[in-house]
Amino acid sequence: MTPAYRRDHGTSAPTPTSSTSVLVLALGQLVISLDYNIVYVALPDIGAGLGFSDHDLQWVVSAYVVATGGFLLLGGRAADLLGRRRMFVVAALLYAGSSLVGGLAQTPGVLVAVRAVQGIGGSLLFPATLSLITTLYEEGPDRNRALAVWGAAGAGGLCFGSLLGGVLVEAYGWPAVFFVNVPVAGALAVAGWLLFPADGPWDRSRHFDVAGALTATGGITLLVFLLVQAPAEGWDTPAALVSAVLSVCLLTLFAVVERRSRDPLVPARLFAHRGLLAAMGVTALFSATFSSVPYFLTLYFQTVHGYRAVATGLAFLVPAVVVAVGTQAGERAVSAFGMRRMLVGGMTLGAAGAAALGLALTSDGSYPSLLPGIVLLGLGQGAAWTGMWIAASAGVAPGDQGVASGLASTTLQVGGAVGLAVLVALAGGVGQNASGPGLLDGIRTAVFAIAGGIGCGALALLALRRATSTSP
């Protein structure tokens, strides 16, 4: 693919010789996805090596989720105002440095802090990467192809993380899942600085909404913390109650600040953009359903069937490949059938796949018996992933692409936290230490609930299309 560069905000675009630009952006998304998922299979070794309690081990994952979800809006607006290339490079260097410290960590507190810093890096890198695509490539086929490649890296990384994590843990121990990021993120920073168009001078007429940034970041961070912590600890604990009250207060204050701000963090015009609002709903549902499947499959492979770390990673190889194929098929389907029809079709396929997968999850079932459901689910997941980011960027002004990316990716994070909490509750609280006959029933219940959620989303999109087409 030969990129078709745009010229926005005074940037000067280099003449590309290949598809290197989009491959670097895809690598950025791969780093984000891998960093989220790669630690799952390493958790038992991390817990034993650093002396984590069972209660605190979840924060190796949760610290990343909370920090990423809380800072995404800030990261999106920073990309718009401070420069997309600058934020891309800063975020990649933040990943490299924090990963080095994480691999050298000797105490639980240091590792959890590192994961939080990595989460902040993700909240800066994700919107910078996505807004670089949506401003460098013209809306239409060029942008759709770039998003499909970027999407394949992101969606596939969620599965490849388990494979890579298993191999690294078996061969080199748990610190390797952190050290592997250091050269990759460092190379990413250098490539971004050399390849992407230089950011124009900072427009002094546009002000950074400090009050809005602080209230939004604080409110969303506390909300994600609540959604991660409360299902395990209880909704009536002091930490949960304080987090809920402070989150509501800060988000309310954020709304007041935004109405009075001369240059708000989230311009009100974006909330009148129906396509962006619909995309935000899809990203939340996607994360709550599709993105929760690896959690329950990991439990199934490791706890029900006793797979080791490498075997678990290998079991995710087929889903990773199928999801990558689905992202490419989704990009072609958008051109052939339109974005909404493609999303409805992809989600319908995903719902059927999740239902078939749930039926195949048995105590004595073989891996091949899972493949029909995995293939259908993966194709639907890949197609929906590509389509929802095309929808989130369509029709948004170049100067708002960063914050639009931040909005959509914030709902992705919050939706994932809510969805996993609800699914774990529906499954009877199954987790890494669960055992007994109720574990398999709980996993199957969660997967069937995922199928129902995806199916309801497809029906909602179909109903929205009909309502739109019949409205005067």
Side-chain angles (χ1 to χ4, degrees), residues 127-140:
T129 302
L130 187 54
S131 61
L132 275 166
I133 290 178
T134 55
T135 53
L136 290 177
Y137 298 93
E138 294 284 356
E139 186 172 335

Side-chain angles (χ1 to χ4, degrees), residues 42-53 57 105-108 111 173-175:
L43 286 177
D45 293 76
I46 291 173
L50 295 185
F52 273 93
S53 67
L57 186 59
Q106 298 295 315
T107 64
L111 190 64
W174 69 262

Side-chain angles (χ1 to χ4, degrees), residues 314-406:
L314 288 171
F316 280 102
L317 182 58
V318 172
V321 172
V322 174
V323 168
V325 171
T327 61
Q328 303 305 305
E331 179 263 321
R332 290 170 173 81
V334 168
S335 300
F337 305 109
M339 183 171 54
R340 190 169 299 174
R341 288 181 180 176
M342 187 279 291
L343 280 172
V344 171
M347 294 174 74
T348 301
L349 202 64
L357 182 62
L359 292 173
L361 295 173
T362 60
S363 59
D364 57 353
S366 64
Y367 183 77
S369 69
L370 304 178
L371 291 180
I374 284 174
V375 170
L376 291 175
L377 181 65
L379 289 174
Q381 178 177 354
W385 176 267
T386 297
M388 69 191 192
W389 296 115
I390 294 173
S393 64
V396 176
D400 290 330
Q401 285 289 346
V403 72
S405 302

Side-chain angles (χ1 to χ4, degrees), residues 41-64:
V41 296
L43 286 177
D45 293 76
I46 291 173
L50 295 185
F52 273 93
S53 67
D54 289 342
H55 174 271
D56 291 334
L57 186 59
Q58 64 161 325
W59 282 104
V60 177
V61 174
S62 298
Y64 186 89

